[in-house]
Tab-separated table of all heavy atoms in Angstrom:
chain	number	residue	atom	x	y	z
D	25	MET	N	2.109	2.182	-17.481
D	25	MET	CA	2.393	0.801	-17.451
D	25	MET	C	3.897	0.589	-17.557
D	25	MET	O	4.546	1.041	-18.484
D	25	MET	CB	1.708	0.037	-18.560
D	25	MET	CG	1.713	-1.485	-18.387
D	25	MET	SD	0.800	-2.045	-16.962
D	25	MET	CE	1.142	-3.784	-17.051
D	26	ILE	N	4.501	-0.040	-16.592
D	26	ILE	CA	5.966	-0.252	-16.583
D	26	ILE	C	6.214	-1.633	-17.086
D	26	ILE	O	5.717	-2.631	-16.600
D	26	ILE	CB	6.524	-0.140	-15.170
D	26	ILE	CG1	6.128	1.234	-14.585
D	26	ILE	CG2	8.045	-0.261	-15.209
D	26	ILE	CD1	6.468	1.364	-13.100
D	27	THR	N	6.988	-1.718	-18.189
D	27	THR	CA	7.251	-3.000	-18.779
D	27	THR	C	8.595	-3.532	-18.460
D	27	THR	O	8.806	-4.742	-18.397
D	27	THR	CB	7.065	-2.919	-20.313
D	27	THR	OG1	7.895	-1.849	-20.771
D	27	THR	CG2	5.659	-2.652	-20.696
D	28	SER	N	9.565	-2.638	-18.258
D	28	SER	CA	10.925	-3.133	-17.973
D	28	SER	C	11.591	-2.290	-16.902
D	28	SER	O	11.969	-1.144	-17.110
D	28	SER	CB	11.773	-3.074	-19.244
D	28	SER	OG	11.866	-1.750	-19.701
D	29	VAL	N	11.715	-2.889	-15.752
D	29	VAL	CA	12.432	-2.218	-14.637
D	29	VAL	C	13.830	-2.866	-14.554
D	29	VAL	O	13.921	-4.069	-14.356
D	29	VAL	CB	11.671	-2.404	-13.313
D	29	VAL	CG1	12.448	-1.797	-12.172
D	29	VAL	CG2	10.301	-1.788	-13.415
D	30	PRO	N	14.866	-2.071	-14.670
D	30	PRO	CA	16.197	-2.619	-14.589
D	30	PRO	C	16.514	-3.162	-13.214
D	30	PRO	O	15.852	-2.833	-12.247
D	30	PRO	CB	17.066	-1.374	-14.945
D	30	PRO	CG	16.237	-0.216	-14.632
D	30	PRO	CD	14.848	-0.604	-14.912
D	31	PRO	N	17.544	-4.002	-13.117
D	31	PRO	CA	17.938	-4.548	-11.827
D	31	PRO	C	18.273	-3.481	-10.784
D	31	PRO	O	18.650	-2.342	-11.130
D	31	PRO	CB	19.130	-5.435	-12.142
D	31	PRO	CG	19.597	-5.026	-13.470
D	31	PRO	CD	18.428	-4.430	-14.213
D	32	ILE	N	18.128	-3.798	-9.531
D	32	ILE	CA	18.374	-2.838	-8.432
D	32	ILE	C	19.747	-2.310	-8.483
D	32	ILE	O	19.972	-1.134	-8.100
D	32	ILE	CB	18.140	-3.585	-7.088
D	32	ILE	CG1	16.736	-4.080	-7.014
D	32	ILE	CG2	18.444	-2.604	-5.931
D	32	ILE	CD1	15.625	-3.009	-7.188
D	33	ALA	N	20.748	-3.032	-8.976
D	33	ALA	CA	22.088	-2.562	-9.042
D	33	ALA	C	22.239	-1.455	-10.031
D	33	ALA	O	23.225	-0.675	-9.998
D	33	ALA	CB	23.026	-3.703	-9.425
D	34	GLU	N	21.290	-1.302	-10.899
D	34	GLU	CA	21.331	-0.241	-11.894
D	34	GLU	C	20.755	1.020	-11.304
D	34	GLU	O	19.612	1.083	-10.837
D	34	GLU	CB	20.443	-0.663	-13.096
D	34	GLU	CG	20.596	0.178	-14.326
D	34	GLU	CD	21.804	-0.229	-15.154
D	34	GLU	OE1	22.388	-1.308	-14.889
D	34	GLU	OE2	22.122	0.480	-16.085
D	35	PRO	N	21.571	2.131	-11.223
D	35	PRO	CA	21.056	3.349	-10.651
D	35	PRO	C	19.956	4.003	-11.523
D	35	PRO	O	19.939	3.808	-12.728
D	35	PRO	CB	22.313	4.260	-10.541
D	35	PRO	CG	23.223	3.740	-11.575
D	35	PRO	CD	22.929	2.270	-11.690
D	36	ASP	N	19.144	4.818	-10.874
D	36	ASP	CA	18.155	5.580	-11.620
D	36	ASP	C	18.870	6.577	-12.520
D	36	ASP	O	19.924	7.128	-12.107
D	36	ASP	CB	17.253	6.311	-10.603
D	36	ASP	CG	16.060	6.977	-11.318
D	36	ASP	OD1	15.155	6.301	-11.667
D	36	ASP	OD2	16.137	8.211	-11.460
D	37	PRO	N	18.421	6.820	-13.748
D	37	PRO	CA	19.001	7.821	-14.626
D	37	PRO	C	19.284	9.168	-13.966
D	37	PRO	O	20.238	9.842	-14.283
D	37	PRO	CB	18.065	7.903	-15.780
D	37	PRO	CG	17.358	6.579	-15.783
D	37	PRO	CD	17.228	6.167	-14.368
D	38	SER	N	18.386	9.543	-13.073
D	38	SER	CA	18.527	10.858	-12.431
D	38	SER	C	19.755	10.901	-11.559
D	38	SER	O	20.325	11.938	-11.354
D	38	SER	CB	17.284	11.146	-11.576
D	38	SER	OG	17.144	10.227	-10.506
D	39	ALA	N	20.215	9.748	-11.021
D	39	ALA	CA	21.385	9.701	-10.196
D	39	ALA	C	22.658	10.017	-10.977
D	39	ALA	O	23.654	10.415	-10.455
D	39	ALA	CB	21.493	8.316	-9.549
D	40	LEU	N	22.568	9.809	-12.285
D	40	LEU	CA	23.759	10.009	-13.165
D	40	LEU	C	23.862	11.468	-13.589
D	40	LEU	O	24.950	11.909	-14.012
D	40	LEU	CB	23.626	9.138	-14.373
D	40	LEU	CG	23.443	7.626	-14.104
D	40	LEU	CD1	23.273	6.895	-15.431
D	40	LEU	CD2	24.627	7.086	-13.334
D	41	THR	N	22.781	12.181	-13.412
D	41	THR	CA	22.761	13.635	-13.946
D	41	THR	C	22.829	14.635	-12.874
D	41	THR	O	22.956	15.830	-13.140
D	41	THR	CB	21.576	13.811	-14.818
D	41	THR	OG1	20.377	13.531	-14.092
D	41	THR	CG2	21.548	12.923	-16.032
D	42	CYS	N	22.750	14.223	-11.602
D	42	CYS	CA	22.729	15.175	-10.503
D	42	CYS	C	24.120	15.195	-9.791
D	42	CYS	O	24.898	14.256	-10.009
D	42	CYS	CB	21.591	14.857	-9.507
D	42	CYS	SG	21.880	13.411	-8.540
D	43	ALA	N	24.290	16.131	-8.891
D	43	ALA	CA	25.546	16.164	-8.154
D	43	ALA	C	25.664	14.933	-7.239
D	43	ALA	O	24.661	14.380	-6.764
D	43	ALA	CB	25.537	17.412	-7.252
D	44	GLY	N	26.886	14.470	-7.048
D	44	GLY	CA	27.140	13.263	-6.317
D	44	GLY	C	26.585	13.277	-4.912
D	44	GLY	O	26.138	12.278	-4.378
D	45	ASP	N	26.627	14.473	-4.266
D	45	ASP	CA	26.097	14.535	-2.917
D	45	ASP	C	24.607	14.610	-2.809
D	45	ASP	O	24.025	14.656	-1.755
D	45	ASP	CB	26.691	15.737	-2.160
D	45	ASP	CG	26.292	17.062	-2.795
D	45	ASP	OD1	25.736	17.051	-3.904
D	45	ASP	OD2	26.548	18.104	-2.159
D	46	GLN	N	23.933	14.555	-3.956
D	46	GLN	CA	22.476	14.559	-4.000
D	46	GLN	C	21.962	13.120	-4.280
D	46	GLN	O	20.744	12.934	-4.392
D	46	GLN	CB	21.941	15.515	-5.001
D	46	GLN	CG	22.304	16.961	-4.653
D	46	GLN	CD	21.773	17.988	-5.681
D	46	GLN	OE1	21.350	17.581	-6.784
D	46	GLN	NE2	21.843	19.271	-5.368
D	47	VAL	N	22.886	12.207	-4.433
D	47	VAL	CA	22.454	10.855	-4.689
D	47	VAL	C	22.143	10.136	-3.360
D	47	VAL	O	22.905	10.201	-2.425
D	47	VAL	CB	23.583	10.059	-5.446
D	47	VAL	CG1	23.218	8.616	-5.600
D	47	VAL	CG2	23.805	10.740	-6.780
D	48	GLY	N	21.025	9.456	-3.349
D	48	GLY	CA	20.672	8.686	-2.150
D	48	GLY	C	19.945	7.430	-2.600
D	48	GLY	O	19.746	7.196	-3.795
D	49	LEU	N	19.559	6.597	-1.639
D	49	LEU	CA	18.913	5.346	-1.985
D	49	LEU	C	17.361	5.570	-2.033
D	49	LEU	O	16.800	6.236	-1.197
D	49	LEU	CB	19.254	4.276	-0.949
D	49	LEU	CG	20.761	3.932	-0.859
D	49	LEU	CD1	20.934	2.822	0.188
D	49	LEU	CD2	21.268	3.508	-2.220
D	50	CYS	N	16.758	4.961	-3.054
D	50	CYS	CA	15.335	4.987	-3.220
D	50	CYS	C	14.683	4.432	-1.959
D	50	CYS	O	15.128	3.407	-1.410
D	50	CYS	CB	14.972	4.172	-4.442
D	50	CYS	SG	13.186	3.848	-4.581
D	51	ALA	N	13.614	5.104	-1.543
D	51	ALA	CA	12.886	4.622	-0.350
D	51	ALA	C	12.106	3.328	-0.599
D	51	ALA	O	11.758	2.628	0.289
D	51	ALA	CB	11.906	5.707	0.130
D	52	GLY	N	11.964	3.014	-1.896
D	52	GLY	CA	11.202	1.820	-2.203
D	52	GLY	C	12.048	0.598	-2.424
D	52	GLY	O	11.863	-0.452	-1.844
D	53	CYS	N	13.072	0.744	-3.298
D	53	CYS	CA	13.826	-0.431	-3.710
D	53	CYS	C	15.325	-0.355	-3.368
D	53	CYS	O	16.061	-1.195	-3.769
D	53	CYS	CB	13.606	-0.658	-5.231
D	53	CYS	SG	14.331	0.637	-6.244
D	54	GLN	N	15.769	0.801	-2.784
D	54	GLN	CA	17.150	0.972	-2.387
D	54	GLN	C	18.079	1.182	-3.580
D	54	GLN	O	19.325	1.115	-3.434
D	54	GLN	CB	17.648	-0.179	-1.592
D	54	GLN	CG	16.714	-0.563	-0.407
D	54	GLN	CD	16.561	0.631	0.580
D	54	GLN	OE1	17.557	1.064	1.193
D	54	GLN	NE2	15.341	1.179	0.676
D	55	ARG	N	17.503	1.493	-4.724
D	55	ARG	CA	18.342	1.806	-5.900
D	55	ARG	C	18.896	3.205	-5.739
D	55	ARG	O	18.319	4.042	-5.051
D	55	ARG	CB	17.377	1.786	-7.100
D	55	ARG	CG	18.034	2.056	-8.423
D	55	ARG	CD	16.951	2.372	-9.486
D	55	ARG	NE	15.866	1.382	-9.491
D	55	ARG	CZ	15.984	0.168	-10.112
D	55	ARG	NH1	17.020	-0.153	-10.759
D	55	ARG	NH2	14.976	-0.642	-10.010
D	56	ARG	N	20.042	3.450	-6.284
D	56	ARG	CA	20.597	4.788	-6.226
D	56	ARG	C	19.788	5.746	-7.084
D	56	ARG	O	19.523	5.416	-8.254
D	56	ARG	CB	22.112	4.780	-6.689
D	56	ARG	CG	23.079	4.203	-5.677
D	56	ARG	CD	24.338	3.732	-6.283
D	56	ARG	NE	24.973	4.765	-7.086
D	56	ARG	CZ	25.741	5.744	-6.579
D	56	ARG	NH1	26.040	5.767	-5.306
D	56	ARG	NH2	26.322	6.602	-7.347
D	57	THR	N	19.456	6.829	-6.580
D	57	THR	CA	18.622	7.805	-7.321
D	57	THR	C	18.913	9.243	-6.872
D	57	THR	O	19.615	9.459	-5.860
D	57	THR	CB	17.088	7.493	-7.146
D	57	THR	OG1	16.343	8.322	-7.979
D	57	THR	CG2	16.670	7.716	-5.689
D	58	HIS	N	18.456	10.239	-7.595
D	58	HIS	CA	18.580	11.647	-7.231
D	58	HIS	C	17.631	11.911	-6.066
D	58	HIS	O	16.436	12.146	-6.380
D	58	HIS	CB	18.360	12.511	-8.429
D	58	HIS	CG	18.492	13.992	-8.132
D	58	HIS	ND1	18.209	14.943	-9.018
D	58	HIS	CD2	18.935	14.600	-6.975
D	58	HIS	CE1	18.436	16.139	-8.471
D	58	HIS	NE2	18.889	15.986	-7.255
D	59	ARG	N	18.120	11.868	-4.837
D	59	ARG	CA	17.179	11.897	-3.742
D	59	ARG	C	17.215	13.250	-3.045
D	59	ARG	O	16.197	13.670	-2.440
D	59	ARG	CB	17.547	10.795	-2.743
D	59	ARG	CG	16.526	10.720	-1.614
D	59	ARG	CD	16.592	9.439	-0.871
D	59	ARG	NE	15.537	9.449	0.169
D	59	ARG	CZ	15.424	8.544	1.110
D	59	ARG	NH1	16.288	7.550	1.205
D	59	ARG	NH2	14.444	8.607	2.003
D	60	TYR	N	18.327	13.938	-3.047
D	60	TYR	CA	18.399	15.135	-2.256
D	60	TYR	C	18.587	16.367	-3.125
D	60	TYR	O	19.020	16.251	-4.280
D	60	TYR	CB	19.608	15.032	-1.279
D	60	TYR	CG	19.569	13.820	-0.412
D	60	TYR	CD1	20.386	12.761	-0.705
D	60	TYR	CD2	18.704	13.758	0.651
D	60	TYR	CE1	20.355	11.618	0.095
D	60	TYR	CE2	18.644	12.648	1.438
D	60	TYR	CZ	19.462	11.555	1.182
D	60	TYR	OH	19.438	10.422	1.926
D	61	GLY	N	18.294	17.526	-2.562
D	61	GLY	CA	18.553	18.759	-3.254
D	61	GLY	C	17.497	19.073	-4.284
D	61	GLY	O	16.442	18.465	-4.394
D	62	ARG	N	17.823	20.081	-5.098
D	62	ARG	CA	16.840	20.574	-6.106
D	62	ARG	C	16.495	19.457	-7.096
D	62	ARG	O	17.316	18.853	-7.661
D	62	ARG	CB	17.488	21.711	-6.878
D	62	ARG	CG	16.572	22.375	-7.860
D	62	ARG	CD	17.304	23.532	-8.542
D	62	ARG	NE	16.518	24.121	-9.616
D	62	ARG	CZ	15.593	25.061	-9.404
D	62	ARG	NH1	15.396	25.497	-8.194
D	62	ARG	NH2	14.913	25.527	-10.398
D	63	GLY	N	15.173	19.190	-7.201
D	63	GLY	CA	14.747	18.166	-8.141
D	63	GLY	C	14.821	16.781	-7.570
D	63	GLY	O	14.504	15.794	-8.249
D	64	GLY	N	15.244	16.666	-6.326
D	64	GLY	CA	15.362	15.320	-5.691
D	64	GLY	C	14.024	14.750	-5.361
D	64	GLY	O	13.068	15.434	-5.146
D	65	PHE	N	13.999	13.407	-5.370
D	65	PHE	CA	12.765	12.722	-5.055
D	65	PHE	C	13.181	11.456	-4.345
D	65	PHE	O	14.192	10.805	-4.743
D	65	PHE	CB	12.030	12.406	-6.401
D	65	PHE	CG	10.613	11.985	-6.214
D	65	PHE	CD1	9.667	12.976	-5.905
D	65	PHE	CD2	10.188	10.694	-6.381
D	65	PHE	CE1	8.302	12.640	-5.743
D	65	PHE	CE2	8.822	10.370	-6.225
D	65	PHE	CZ	7.884	11.310	-5.907
D	66	PRO	N	12.465	11.097	-3.279
D	66	PRO	CA	12.904	9.957	-2.462
D	66	PRO	C	12.691	8.590	-3.107
D	66	PRO	O	13.031	7.586	-2.512
D	66	PRO	CB	12.063	10.101	-1.159
D	66	PRO	CG	10.861	10.827	-1.590
D	66	PRO	CD	11.317	11.764	-2.659
D	67	LEU	N	12.103	8.630	-4.302
D	67	LEU	CA	11.901	7.339	-4.990
D	67	LEU	C	12.588	7.425	-6.382
D	67	LEU	O	12.649	8.487	-6.981
D	67	LEU	CB	10.424	7.125	-5.206
D	67	LEU	CG	9.567	6.926	-3.923
D	67	LEU	CD1	8.101	6.970	-4.274
D	67	LEU	CD2	9.920	5.631	-3.222
D	68	CYS	N	13.031	6.242	-6.862
D	68	CYS	CA	13.510	6.187	-8.226
D	68	CYS	C	12.299	6.312	-9.176
D	68	CYS	O	11.171	6.246	-8.743
D	68	CYS	CB	14.227	4.849	-8.456
D	68	CYS	SG	13.201	3.424	-8.513
D	69	GLN	N	12.601	6.493	-10.424
D	69	GLN	CA	11.481	6.760	-11.352
D	69	GLN	C	10.510	5.563	-11.474
D	69	GLN	O	9.369	5.755	-11.792
D	69	GLN	CB	12.017	7.192	-12.742
D	69	GLN	CG	12.729	6.082	-13.492
D	69	GLN	CD	13.217	6.559	-14.807
D	69	GLN	OE1	13.754	7.618	-14.975
D	69	GLN	NE2	12.962	5.763	-15.861
D	70	TRP	N	11.030	4.417	-11.216
D	70	TRP	CA	10.192	3.210	-11.341
D	70	TRP	C	9.277	3.081	-10.128
D	70	TRP	O	8.131	2.654	-10.254
D	70	TRP	CB	11.055	1.952	-11.568
D	70	TRP	CG	11.794	2.076	-12.857
D	70	TRP	CD1	11.251	1.838	-14.110
D	70	TRP	CD2	13.134	2.468	-13.066
D	70	TRP	NE1	12.196	2.083	-15.026
D	70	TRP	CE2	13.368	2.435	-14.450
D	70	TRP	CE3	14.181	2.801	-12.177
D	70	TRP	CZ2	14.615	2.773	-14.995
D	70	TRP	CZ3	15.405	3.164	-12.743
D	70	TRP	CH2	15.604	3.161	-14.109
D	71	CYS	N	9.799	3.410	-8.937
D	71	CYS	CA	8.951	3.359	-7.738
D	71	CYS	C	8.001	4.542	-7.721
D	71	CYS	O	6.908	4.456	-7.174
D	71	CYS	CB	9.824	3.346	-6.479
D	71	CYS	SG	10.732	1.812	-6.257
D	72	ALA	N	8.464	5.669	-8.317
D	72	ALA	CA	7.645	6.897	-8.292
D	72	ALA	C	6.428	6.775	-9.223
D	72	ALA	O	5.450	7.425	-9.014
D	72	ALA	CB	8.504	8.101	-8.653
D	73	GLU	N	6.585	5.948	-10.211
D	73	GLU	CA	5.544	5.846	-11.275
D	73	GLU	C	4.153	5.535	-10.701
D	73	GLU	O	3.212	6.263	-10.951
D	73	GLU	CB	5.975	4.837	-12.335
D	73	GLU	CG	5.249	4.972	-13.632
D	73	GLU	CD	5.534	6.320	-14.340
D	73	GLU	OE1	6.689	6.815	-14.215
D	73	GLU	OE2	4.604	6.922	-14.850
D	74	PRO	N	4.000	4.464	-9.959
D	74	PRO	CA	2.694	4.164	-9.418
D	74	PRO	C	2.196	5.184	-8.406
D	74	PRO	O	0.977	5.460	-8.287
D	74	PRO	CB	2.862	2.757	-8.757
D	74	PRO	CG	4.301	2.638	-8.547
D	74	PRO	CD	4.956	3.434	-9.653
D	75	VAL	N	3.145	5.835	-7.730
D	75	VAL	CA	2.745	6.909	-6.749
D	75	VAL	C	2.224	8.104	-7.467
D	75	VAL	O	1.186	8.643	-7.122
D	75	VAL	CB	3.967	7.313	-5.924
D	75	VAL	CG1	3.639	8.494	-5.011
D	75	VAL	CG2	4.491	6.122	-5.069
D	76	LYS	N	2.863	8.489	-8.561
D	76	LYS	CA	2.456	9.653	-9.339
D	76	LYS	C	1.100	9.320	-10.025
D	76	LYS	O	0.255	10.198	-10.150
D	76	LYS	CB	3.521	10.034	-10.352
D	76	LYS	CG	4.703	10.683	-9.717
D	76	LYS	CD	5.749	11.089	-10.771
D	76	LYS	CE	6.902	11.834	-10.075
D	76	LYS	NZ	7.935	12.135	-11.071
D	77	ALA	N	0.943	8.089	-10.404
D	77	ALA	CA	-0.338	7.717	-11.093
D	77	ALA	C	-1.453	7.785	-10.055
D	77	ALA	O	-2.595	8.162	-10.456
D	77	ALA	CB	-0.189	6.310	-11.616
D	78	LYS	N	-1.166	7.533	-8.847
D	78	LYS	CA	-2.183	7.553	-7.795
D	78	LYS	C	-2.502	8.935	-7.345
D	78	LYS	O	-3.649	9.276	-7.130
D	78	LYS	CB	-1.695	6.673	-6.615
D	78	LYS	CG	-2.747	6.594	-5.506
D	78	LYS	CD	-2.213	5.699	-4.382
D	78	LYS	CE	-3.255	5.561	-3.242
D	78	LYS	NZ	-2.725	4.767	-2.114
D	79	TRP	N	-1.477	9.771	-7.169
D	79	TRP	CA	-1.665	11.053	-6.578
D	79	TRP	C	-1.714	12.200	-7.606
D	79	TRP	O	-1.984	13.323	-7.277
D	79	TRP	CB	-0.575	11.352	-5.572
D	79	TRP	CG	-0.568	10.368	-4.432
D	79	TRP	CD1	0.240	9.311	-4.276
D	79	TRP	CD2	-1.447	10.412	-3.269
D	79	TRP	NE1	-0.081	8.686	-3.072
D	79	TRP	CE2	-1.082	9.314	-2.447
D	79	TRP	CE3	-2.453	11.309	-2.882
D	79	TRP	CZ2	-1.757	9.067	-1.272
D	79	TRP	CZ3	-3.111	11.033	-1.679
D	79	TRP	CH2	-2.779	9.919	-0.893
D	80	GLY	N	-1.310	11.877	-8.834
D	80	GLY	CA	-1.297	12.957	-9.844
D	80	GLY	C	0.129	13.374	-10.111
D	80	GLY	O	0.979	13.272	-9.239
D	81	ALA	N	0.359	13.873	-11.280
D	81	ALA	CA	1.711	14.209	-11.690
D	81	ALA	C	2.278	15.396	-10.885
D	81	ALA	O	3.504	15.573	-10.830
D	81	ALA	CB	1.688	14.582	-13.165
D	82	ALA	N	1.417	16.147	-10.213
D	82	ALA	CA	1.879	17.319	-9.490
D	82	ALA	C	2.353	16.940	-8.105
D	82	ALA	O	2.723	17.838	-7.327
D	82	ALA	CB	0.795	18.379	-9.470
D	83	VAL	N	2.317	15.700	-7.756
D	83	VAL	CA	2.641	15.334	-6.387
D	83	VAL	C	4.125	15.708	-6.093
D	83	VAL	O	4.981	15.584	-6.884
D	83	VAL	CB	2.489	13.821	-6.168
D	83	VAL	CG1	3.447	13.010	-6.988
D	83	VAL	CG2	2.657	13.452	-4.676
D	84	ARG	N	4.320	16.244	-4.901
D	84	ARG	CA	5.643	16.554	-4.490
D	84	ARG	C	5.723	16.546	-2.941
D	84	ARG	O	4.700	16.695	-2.310
D	84	ARG	CB	6.076	17.924	-4.998
D	84	ARG	CG	5.221	19.096	-4.567
D	84	ARG	CD	5.692	20.375	-5.142
D	84	ARG	NE	5.903	20.220	-6.599
D	84	ARG	CZ	5.676	21.152	-7.477
D	84	ARG	NH1	5.250	22.374	-7.093
D	84	ARG	NH2	5.864	21.011	-8.746
D	85	PHE	N	6.863	16.324	-2.450
D	85	PHE	CA	7.043	16.291	-1.038
D	85	PHE	C	7.344	17.708	-0.494
D	85	PHE	O	8.344	18.304	-0.874
D	85	PHE	CB	8.149	15.345	-0.656
D	85	PHE	CG	7.743	13.869	-0.873
D	85	PHE	CD1	7.717	13.361	-2.142
D	85	PHE	CD2	7.436	13.077	0.184
D	85	PHE	CE1	7.322	12.028	-2.374
D	85	PHE	CE2	7.069	11.746	-0.004
D	85	PHE	CZ	6.999	11.240	-1.271
D	86	LEU	N	6.461	18.177	0.357
D	86	LEU	CA	6.661	19.532	0.887
D	86	LEU	C	7.798	19.550	1.892
D	86	LEU	O	7.978	18.648	2.666
D	86	LEU	CB	5.335	19.992	1.568
D	86	LEU	CG	4.163	20.073	0.653
D	86	LEU	CD1	2.921	20.464	1.488
D	86	LEU	CD2	4.364	21.156	-0.480
D	87	SER	N	8.544	20.614	1.816
D	87	SER	CA	9.653	20.788	2.765
D	87	SER	C	9.054	21.054	4.136
D	87	SER	O	8.019	21.722	4.260
D	87	SER	CB	10.534	21.977	2.333
D	87	SER	OG	11.483	22.244	3.355
D	88	THR	N	9.751	20.600	5.165
D	88	THR	CA	9.280	20.860	6.544
D	88	THR	C	9.765	22.261	6.996
D	88	THR	O	9.371	22.742	8.028
D	88	THR	CB	9.813	19.831	7.506
D	88	THR	OG1	11.254	19.718	7.411
D	88	THR	CG2	9.197	18.438	7.180
D	89	ARG	N	10.667	22.829	6.166
D	89	ARG	CA	11.166	24.166	6.516
D	89	ARG	C	10.239	25.219	5.909
D	89	ARG	O	9.952	25.158	4.711
D	89	ARG	CB	12.585	24.336	6.046
D	89	ARG	CG	13.567	23.600	6.920
D	89	ARG	CD	15.004	23.679	6.389
D	89	ARG	NE	15.132	23.006	5.122
D	89	ARG	CZ	16.262	22.891	4.428
D	89	ARG	NH1	17.347	23.450	4.914
D	89	ARG	NH2	16.335	22.270	3.283
D	90	ALA	N	9.817	26.149	6.735
D	90	ALA	CA	8.872	27.178	6.180
D	90	ALA	C	9.634	28.111	5.264
D	90	ALA	O	10.782	28.362	5.390
D	90	ALA	CB	8.313	27.967	7.351
E	25	ZN	ZN1	12.904	2.442	-6.356
């Protein structure tokens, strides 16, 4: 249950801890988040929450590169 989602202008915490070139915009709300590279996810933690709840915590996006 998400009770407090910060404004869109507020970057995802993951964006602050990853390399600058791995920062991208969330696919859901366009918030800055850790989108690329190791540990990257195309959604910020707030948009990812309902997705993970639906698909399970192990959900991950498979690379298209073999
Ligand atoms: Zn988002």
